[in-house]
Amino acid sequence: MTATPAERYAAARDARRHPVSASFAEQQRFDLDDFQIAGCQALEEGRSVLVAAPTGAGKTIVGEFAIHLAMRSERGKAFYTTPMKALSNQKFRELQHVYGADAVGLLTGDVNINSSARVVVMTTEVLRNMLYADSPALRDLQYVVMDEVHYLADRFRGAVWEEVIIHLAQDVRLVSLSATVSNAEEFGDWLGTVRGDTEVIVSETRPVPLEQHVLVRGDLLPLFDDRAGVATAQVNQELMRIRGGAAQGGRQADAYRSSRGRGGHRPSRGGRRPVRAGQPQRVERLDRPEVVHLLGRSNLLPAIFFIFSRAGCDQAVQQVRRSGLRLTDADERREIREVVEERTRTLPEEDLAVLGFWEWRENLERGVAAHHAGLLPAFKEVVEELFQRKLVKAVFATETLALGINMPARTVVLEKLEKFNGEARVAITSGEYTQLTGRAGRRGIDVEGHAVIQWTEGLDPQQVAALASRRTYPLHSSFRPTYNMAVNLIDRFGRSRAHELLESSFAQFQADRAVVGLARQVREQEESLAGYAAAMACDRGDFTEYSGIRRELTDLEKKNRQDAGASRGDRERRQAQIASLRKRMQRHPCHGCPDRENHARWAERYWKLKRAIDRTRTQISARTGTVARQFDRVTDVLEALDYLRIEDGRVHLTDAGRTMRRIYGERDLLVAESLRRGLWRQLDAASLAALASCIVYEPRRDDAGPGERGLPGGAFRTALTATQELWAQLDDLERDHRLPGSEPLAPGLARAMRGWVRGVPLDRVLDDADMAAGDFVRWCRQSIDLLDQLSLVAEPDVARTARAALDGVRRGVVAYSGL
């Protein structure tokens, strides 16, 4: 569409005001949307930004512009943080392509590549740890991009995002990228309070329009009747008639599609059987190969089928395979085989059969694949790459695929609108529906994306329409103080300042928005207070002490003048106090300073500001400090266990507390206390790895575990028993201090982990673990993170054992890296 003269003039004016943004926009493959331009311009003006936009809308372009700004300076750095290692790996490769291998690094806990580069991609936990350690890598840091920042609502890991936001230096500009949330303005207000000037940019417009369909028999019927206008979003009445089993439903559906023109796609196989008047409709469900074939005939591939179970994903692939359906030509099959062989060549030959490699490759060559957490990471990466290259046409995935990996499709299919949450089958939320269907529509490729809901018995089109049209996805903080957080805050800031920092959390902001503003006011006033103290410094003595005496004397003299009705005894006592203070003042070394009155003027400002700070602190303490109370309970436990000591009114860390600073994870206290008590000293490398797995492993609710009989004996059993007894003691102590406690240790992976480190083949290990290869690798990597911490903080003998355990775990499929 040709721009009007007014639009051209406005664009030219913006380009003059924001030349870097304009130049950056011209380098992109497509025209930037308004929200992307607004984000880039805010960064060019020196502000932080929060960009909330739908999945696939192109939020990351604003983060990439922040990196562009950093690289324009002589030494500036930019960090790009993500919630998942897979996302970090993907972004690392993309940025290497732009800036070259030397300029880009990667830090994900178990991978360290070029960490001193000017652009470093990392998981959010890595940045949090760098902030607590005051890492030299933070020098010259100008921008931090926090991708998928809505993860701060995550119950287990969300606190890390808030810690980073609070602790980043104030001169670092923050680029927060979020899915569309219904309280983006509230979140933006908090960011502005703790980070300073922050532009909030919200876009609810998808770059590729989404067509919503319901698959009934072999027909794709539109969910909405848009003939009534988009604003009304009226549900297609034909779907309502089908739900009610109306006799004329079949013929009316045909008539409706004819009148609508492009609304529904024709079935790929011979239409419907006739329906006799008065006969209720029975809606037959297409099997999966038929659905894939239908989408292919309707030019709606590639497609992602979201199936809320791993077994269902694998079964779907097998069903397509058995049907004989093939979605690729000879050239595509050859290209697929080349990619597979290149990306899996480092996998041990003896493990390929165990992993079902050849059948998996054959399925890929047919153009179909599964994608879920049980898959080996190497296999998942191959599926992602082939799908992005349009070589794999149909992926059957669990909802984890919707969490940020760049795998847009032309069509998203939802087989059901409910899932098992571990306890019961529950309906998916509107936020989940938006996240899942957000994958449909590839920018620059598709004119429109398609969401297809398969008809099931009891489906209510009105409820589906409500899911599709609502955007209620509020962001709630999950912040809570941990033991590691407490010792790091106290070590860096002291207990009082730590309280104020916790009052700055989004959790507290949502509980009481005023407290955050007051806490920031105190921090800013304290900086001024320190400046006043420096200005009144006297080389003859402590001028703060001297000015305090003068101030007390002035107040007492004023009170004596005003209180004419006081008794003779009171007046005499007051006069004695005044005489004593005057004598102290005259004897003070600062009294003879020739620059005394200049110092005194700064002292007057100092005491006036200090009174204001004290009043503000009283306001803060009078409010409901839920986070601070939790922090006090955590520190009480640490004090009871001698990780903290209070001496002369000040809190400081013991040796055990200093060890705790470098132990991260859900069980930080248990790990630290086990090390202090020497519970793991007698373990060899394999047994220490097995014990580490007991600390990190979280079994599924229906996993009963191997029981005591399946566990290794000897030193491992002794150490495990001692660690379990310690857990029980700590759990009692936490509950005594009104803390929630923790789950018991889970030894279900111990036997398999011990065998793996001892060199047991993969097939036997997976049999012992009774889990998929992808799950085993994931828990191995969690164990690696813990063992890595032990290698750094444990006493020398245990540290050496931990390093040996690391080497033992990092082999075969666990050692694979796709980078």
Side-chain angles (χ1 to χ4, degrees), residues 288 307-319 396 415:
R288 286 160 177 157
I307 301 171
F308 299 118
S309 84
R310 300 177 185 183
C313 294
D314 293 332
Q315 289 166 8
V317 172
Q318 293 305 316
Q319 288 166 7
F396 299 91
E415 291 195 348

Side-chain angles (χ1 to χ4, degrees), residues 174-470:
L174 186 67
V175 183
S176 305
L177 306 178
S178 171
T180 305
V181 292
S182 50
N183 61 336
E185 288 77 11
E186 178 189 40
F187 182 48
D189 287 346
W190 173 69
L191 287 173
T193 305
V194 295
R195 299 297 314 164
D197 191 7
T198 300
E199 180 86 1
V200 179
I201 299 164
V202 178
S203 173
E204 296 192 14
T205 304
R206 286 176 48 95
V208 180
L210 182 66
E211 291 282 329
Q212 316 243 15
H213 313 274
V214 178
L215 177 57
V216 185
R217 301 187 186 87
D219 289 322
L220 286 170
L221 300 181
L223 175 60
F224 295 108
D225 181 359
D226 56 12
R227 294 176 304 174
V230 175
T232 61
Q234 181 180 338
V235 177
N236 181 356
Q237 291 304 299
E238 175 58 24
L239 293 172
M240 300 303 296
R241 282 190 285 271
I242 292 173
R243 182 173 187 261
Q248 299 301 314
R251 289 190 289 275
Q252 289 169 338
D254 290 338
Y256 179 84
R257 283 191 303 281
S258 298
S259 67
R260 189 172 186 271
R262 66 179 182 86
H265 293 275
R266 291 297 301 164
S268 60
R269 55 188 191 127
R272 289 190 299 263
R273 65 182 67 151
V275 179
R276 289 196 296 270
Q279 179 186 15
Q281 291 187 67
R282 182 177 182 277
V283 180
E284 294 180 359
R285 185 182 175 93
L286 294 184
D287 60 26
R288 286 160 177 157
E290 288 179 301
V291 177
V292 174
H293 186 58
L294 167 65
L295 296 180
R297 288 284 299 274
S298 303
N299 197 28
L300 293 180
L301 294 178
I304 298 172
F305 291 71
F306 282 111
I307 301 171
F308 299 118
S309 84
R310 300 177 185 183
C313 294
D314 293 332
Q315 289 166 8
V317 172
Q318 293 305 316
Q319 288 166 7
V320 174
R321 175 193 178 93
R322 286 195 299 269
S323 74
L325 189 62
R326 190 179 291 277
L327 306 173
T328 55
D329 59 31
D331 289 339
E332 289 173 326
R333 289 194 288 277
R334 184 168 52 254
E335 192 174 346
I336 287 169
R337 185 172 288 243
E338 289 173 358
V339 171
V340 170
E341 290 178 355
E342 169 62 25
R343 296 295 295 275
T344 61
R345 58 187 168 79
T346 59
L347 294 177
E349 186 76 24
E350 64 272 16
D351 292 344
L352 294 181
V354 179
L355 298 169
F357 171 80
W358 288 279
E359 184 177 305
W360 169 74
R361 187 179 66 182
E362 185 183 334
N363 291 332
L364 290 176
E365 290 177 12
R366 287 179 176 273
V368 296
H371 189 289
H372 55 70
L375 275 182
L376 198 68
F379 286 12
K380 282 199 291 187
E381 289 174 18
V382 169
V383 171
E384 291 158 13
E385 180 177 345
L386 294 176
F387 193 79
Q388 290 164 13
R389 291 168 63 167
K390 296 180 278 189
L391 296 170
V392 164
K393 321 288 186 179
V395 169
F396 299 91
T398 56
E399 70 268 32
T400 54
L401 181 60
L403 300 178
I405 297 290
N406 182 25
M407 274 184 67
R410 177 165 294 171
T411 304
V412 163
V413 180
L414 299 182
E415 291 195 348
K416 294 180 180 177
L417 295 177
E418 62 178 21
K419 64 177 183 177
F420 186 68
N421 67 358
E423 295 177 350
R425 299 206 69 82
V426 295
I428 64 172
T429 66
S430 59
E432 289 168 331
Y433 182 91
T434 302
Q435 190 85 354
L436 296 168
T437 57
R439 291 278 158 213
R442 298 163 300 175
R443 185 168 186 160
I445 300 174
D446 298 321
V447 176
E448 60 192 14
H450 298 267
V452 175
I453 313 303
Q454 283 197 258
W455 185 276
T456 57
E457 291 300 321
L459 184 78
D460 184 352
Q462 294 281 13
Q463 290 180 353
V464 179
L467 276 179
S469 56
R470 265 204 320 268

